[in-house]
Amino acid sequence: MKRLIKKQVLIPILALAVLIGASSFKSDFFEIAKQIEIFTTLFKELNMNYVDETNPAELMDSAIKNMLGELDPYTQFLNEQDVESFKINNSGEYSGIGALVRSYENKLVVVEPYQGYAADKAGLKAGDEIIKIGETLVADFDDNAGELLKGANNSTVEVTFLRQGETKTATITRQGVEVDAVPFYDMIDDKTGYIVLSRFNRKASKQTKLAMQDLKGQGAERLVLDLRGNPGGLLSEAINVTNLFVPKGELIVTTRSKVKKFNQEYRTKNKPEDEEIPLVVLVDGKSASASEIVSGGLQDLDRAVIVGARSFGKGLVQRPLKLTYGTQLKVTISRYYTPSGRCIQSLDYWNRDAEGNAVRNTNFNEFTTKNGRKVWDGGGVMPDVTIESLKTNSLIDALEANNIVFDFATEYFYDHSFDSVENFNFSDADYALFKSYAKEQNFSYQTKTEKLLEESVNGDDTLLGAEVQEKYKDLLLAVNRGKITALDNFQKEIQKNLEDEIITRYFYREGLYKYYLNHDDAILTAKELLADNNKYSSILK
């Protein structure tokens, strides 16, 4: 037992030693060494003397996660499994069942089976709740049970799942899964090409380039690049994708850090694929990191018109640092800045509110693009043309966080049928059903107004008197009634999320993108804008 404890203690010592070696601030060395010694002594004495048997590995994992939780959500400790997942995300290849799953305490929920892959062939559907994998109950598995679904090509795994209250089983033969960076591209009309870039793995620039070449061969004279929902990925691929549209030697990103070697300028290195083709880039609140490097860079260089909603606002750069025993520390090393010099980081993790939440930047600084247009930092990439249906708010976020849209789509799928995506129609009557469903779920969310009112009513300050406090309570009731009305006020935004989720159930991701070509507000706006050369040029000038 003591030998195990010593081995576990060595891990954080060696890990932190890496950080010490990387630090150029010698004045901090003594303080770091002092804290390591205190922690090592505490950890040893705790495990040796605690009244019950301890699990040193679990204690250390908890200690590390809580320590890193004081920083930002992107600085993470990666165990051996996490490191493997990190590699898969970057390479876009792995072996498993071919489905996106969401992990809960006692189940895994299938979010999306990939068309033609193992889970899809075995008949799994979005909304299926996996409760058992092989002989292992998901509820009894301490780690991420989703890892049990991965395995060697042609190996089999039996899963037990719940569907609409009925218990079912399926035997799935695992296979190699290739996660494309460009899952779809097509012509919007006879002159306008459309490319979906869903992630920045190692295939991103190559697949985008091939899609461009194919579309231009089909007659494309203008292009729409869709980065909506793209969470980012490799910085190098963001540079390479931008390079497809801008000349060699163009500055795209500057990174600044307290560590001198991480201060770098990133310029394009290759001949562009096409630096003249009119280009619209689509973004939304889930376009982050590398997506913002591409959209922000193209905006600053006046190379593309940005259409959609404000992007996520992640202006922080991470790098994996190798630790001992195959583990890594993914650490935020710098902030990145677009060609105009702006950092689009939205949340301030180093100045938190009274509840410990990161504060959103509200004071924006003005910058200018290559042509002298005004742009701002600190709040994501702001589109040149805004699409109202892509905006989000606390209600929409709460519907998503509570899985109201997802769960309704599951119910809807089993109660309706469509033979083709062209015949899909989500009517006002369907939306009325959704409103009734949402109200029945009793999901809760708190607006900023409601929060301030509650703090006033429940605070210690009674100077306002009972009558005023009663008025406050009446106002709170009015706010709650307003929440219900908000389901009508934001029907367009909510209905888009519903349609996206439901169409994917019937016709997979490819069917959704085909539906977009003729029905999506952002694509239709981009198509119209690109067809009007004067309007397109006037935005960039």
Side-chain angles (χ1 to χ4, degrees):
M1 179 66 181
K2 289 183 178 180
R3 185 174 298 173
L4 175 62
I5 293 171
K6 290 179 180 178
K7 184 177 181 181
Q8 295 294 337
V9 170
L10 282 173
I11 295 176
I13 293 175
L14 292 171
L16 287 171
V18 174
L19 292 179
I20 293 172
S23 175
S24 62
F25 294 84
K26 294 182 180 180
S27 60
D28 289 343
F29 184 88
F30 173 76
E31 186 62 27
I32 294 173
K34 172 185 172 183
Q35 296 304 323
I36 290 174
E37 186 176 356
I38 291 172
F39 180 79
T40 302
T41 306
L42 179 149
F43 191 75
K44 180 179 70 173
E45 295 296 336
L46 175 66
N47 282 281
M48 292 179 64
N49 297 298
Y50 189 71
V51 62
D52 292 322
E53 193 73 16
T54 60
N55 185 319
E58 288 184 1
L59 280 177
M60 182 57 67
D61 189 64
S62 178
I64 292 173
K65 287 178 179 176
N66 278 279
M67 175 179 66
L68 298 181
E70 293 294 313
L71 303 175
D72 63 75
Y74 313 112
T75 297
Q76 300 172 342
F77 170 69
L78 307 178
N79 59 31
E80 295 93 330
Q81 289 180 342
D82 295 330
V83 170
E84 191 61 30
S85 297
F86 187 70
K87 291 178 181 177
I88 288 170
N89 287 335
N90 287 339
S91 67
E93 298 177 2
Y94 69 98
S95 181
I97 69 168
L100 178 63
V101 297
R102 184 186 297 128
S103 180
Y104 292 90
E105 188 175 346
N106 60 349
K107 63 186 177 183
L108 292 172
V109 174
V110 178
V111 174
E112 181 186 351
Y114 301 141
Q115 186 175 12
Y117 282 104
D120 184 36
K121 292 175 183 176
L124 264 66
K125 302 291 184 185
D128 288 346
E129 300 177 2
I130 299 175
I131 56 175
K132 190 177 180 181
I133 303 173
E135 297 300 317
T136 303
L137 288 171
V138 174
D140 294 339
F141 196 73
D142 290 338
D143 297 320
N144 181 7
E147 294 297 320
L148 299 175
L149 298 173
K150 297 175 183 177
N153 279 359
N154 299 318
S155 63
T156 60
V157 58
E158 184 175 85
V159 298
T160 303
F161 60 94
L162 295 176
R163 176 184 293 170
Q164 299 290 284
E166 184 180 350
T167 302
K168 296 177 175 287
T169 61
T171 300
I172 306 174
T173 301
R174 299 181 181 98
Q175 66 180 105
V177 179
E178 292 190 17
V179 183
D180 286 327
V182 176
F184 181 84
Y185 68 90
D186 202 350
M187 296 292 289
I188 300 174
D189 58 29
D190 59 353
K191 291 186 177 181
T192 310
Y194 172 67
I195 300 174
V196 178
L197 180 54
S198 64
R199 66 194 70 228
F200 285 87
N201 59 26
R202 290 192 179 94
K203 303 177 182 181
S205 58
K206 181 179 180 180
Q207 290 188 344
T208 304
K209 181 178 181 178
L210 291 173
M212 285 179 64
Q213 292 172 341
D214 192 354
L215 290 171
K216 289 172 70 176
Q218 296 179 49
E221 298 176 4
R222 47 214 184 210
L223 193 64
V224 178
L225 179 64
D226 196 341
L227 298 180
R228 289 176 296 177
N230 186 323
L234 298 173
L235 173 63
S236 58
E237 283 299 291
I239 307 299
N240 292 337
V241 168
T242 310
N243 195 177
L244 295 173
F245 306 101
V246 301
K248 179 180 179 180
E250 197 76 64
L251 176 65
I252 305 301
V253 175
T254 302
T255 58
R256 301 175 195 168
S257 170
K258 73 174 185 180
V259 181
K260 204 169 186 178
K261 67 178 180 179
F262 295 145
N263 293 333
Q264 295 185 25
E265 288 186 346
Y266 294 87
R267 296 179 179 272
T268 51
K269 297 180 179 179
N270 306 309
K271 180 182 177 182
E273 178 63 23
D274 192 329
E275 59 178 297
E276 298 295 334
I277 188 169
L279 176 66
V280 166
V281 177
L282 307 182
V283 297
D284 64 9
K286 295 181 180 178
S287 305
S289 192
S291 294
E292 295 171 302
I293 289 174
V294 173
S295 56
L298 292 172
Q299 185 179 52
D300 282 1
L301 297 171
D302 297 300
R303 179 61 186 86
V305 174
I306 311 302
V307 171
R310 184 173 73 176
S311 65
F312 182 81
K314 180 180 180 289
L316 304 175
V317 182
Q318 287 73 45
R319 172 171 292 189
L321 303 177
K322 291 183 179 180
L323 307 178
T324 55
Y325 299 98
T327 62
Q328 291 184 6
L329 174 66
K330 184 163 74 77
V331 60
T332 297
I333 58 168
S334 58
R335 291 178 175 84
Y336 75 75
Y337 297 80
T338 65
S340 67
R342 55 182 171 145
C343 179
I344 50 79
Q345 176 62 27
S346 179
L347 294 175
D348 184 353
Y349 296 104
W350 298 271
N351 292 290
R352 299 176 182 253
D353 62 22
E355 296 178 359
N357 298 315
V359 178
R360 184 172 294 278
N361 290 323
T362 56
N363 296 320
F364 302 145
N365 298 304
E366 184 180 296
F367 294 81
T368 55
T369 68
K370 194 173 185 178
N371 289 341
R373 295 188 298 142
K374 294 179 181 180
V375 289
W376 291 266
D377 67 358
V381 175
M382 294 296 293
D384 302 306
V385 178
T386 299
I387 305 297
E388 293 298 322
S389 61
L390 293 181
K391 288 184 176 180
T392 189
N393 53 46
S394 58
L395 169 62
I396 296 171
D397 292 342
L399 289 170
E400 182 173 332
N402 288 273
N403 298 318
I404 306 298
V405 170
F406 181 86
D407 291 341
F408 177 81
T410 301
E411 300 290 334
Y412 188 94
F413 173 76
Y414 291 108
D415 291 337
H416 299 75
S417 62
F418 297 95
D419 56 5
S420 70
V421 70
E422 289 79 12
N423 293 331
F424 175 79
N425 177 52
F426 192 81
S427 66
D428 287 341
D430 291 327
Y431 190 75
L433 288 174
F434 169 74
K435 288 196 299 180
S436 298
Y437 178 84
K439 293 171 187 176
E440 290 169 2
Q441 303 311 303
N442 293 320
F443 78 100
S444 62
Y445 72 100
Q446 192 175 49
T447 65
K448 292 181 179 178
T449 301
E450 187 178 15
K451 183 179 178 181
L452 290 171
L453 287 172
E454 284 192 356
E455 288 175 353
S456 299
V457 172
N458 299 323
D460 294 332
D461 188 358
T462 58
L463 294 175
L464 297 176
E467 182 181 352
V468 174
Q469 291 201 3
E470 283 301 316
K471 294 291 185 183
Y472 269 122
K473 291 176 182 178
D474 289 341
L475 191 52
L476 280 174
L477 290 174
V479 170
N480 283 324
R481 289 193 295 270
K483 290 181 182 180
I484 302 301
T485 306
L487 290 171
D488 290 320
N489 295 340
F490 296 101
Q491 177 176 344
K492 191 171 185 179
E493 294 88 339
I494 296 170
Q495 185 163 322
K496 174 180 168 42
N497 292 338
L498 285 165
E499 289 176 347
D500 287 1
E501 188 63 54
I502 293 169
I503 291 171
T504 306
R505 305 297 178 97
Y506 291 103
F507 308 110
Y508 301 91
R509 188 67 50 175
E510 182 176 355
L512 176 63
Y513 294 134
K514 287 181 178 178
Y515 180 81
Y516 276 177
L517 295 179
N518 296 311
H519 298 89
D520 182 75
D521 288 346
I523 292 176
L524 295 177
T525 299
K527 172 185 170 182
E528 180 182 343
L529 176 63
L530 286 166
D532 187 339
N533 187 58
N534 290 333
K535 187 175 181 181
Y536 175 83
S537 299
S538 68
I539 292 175
L540 295 179
K541 293 179 181 178

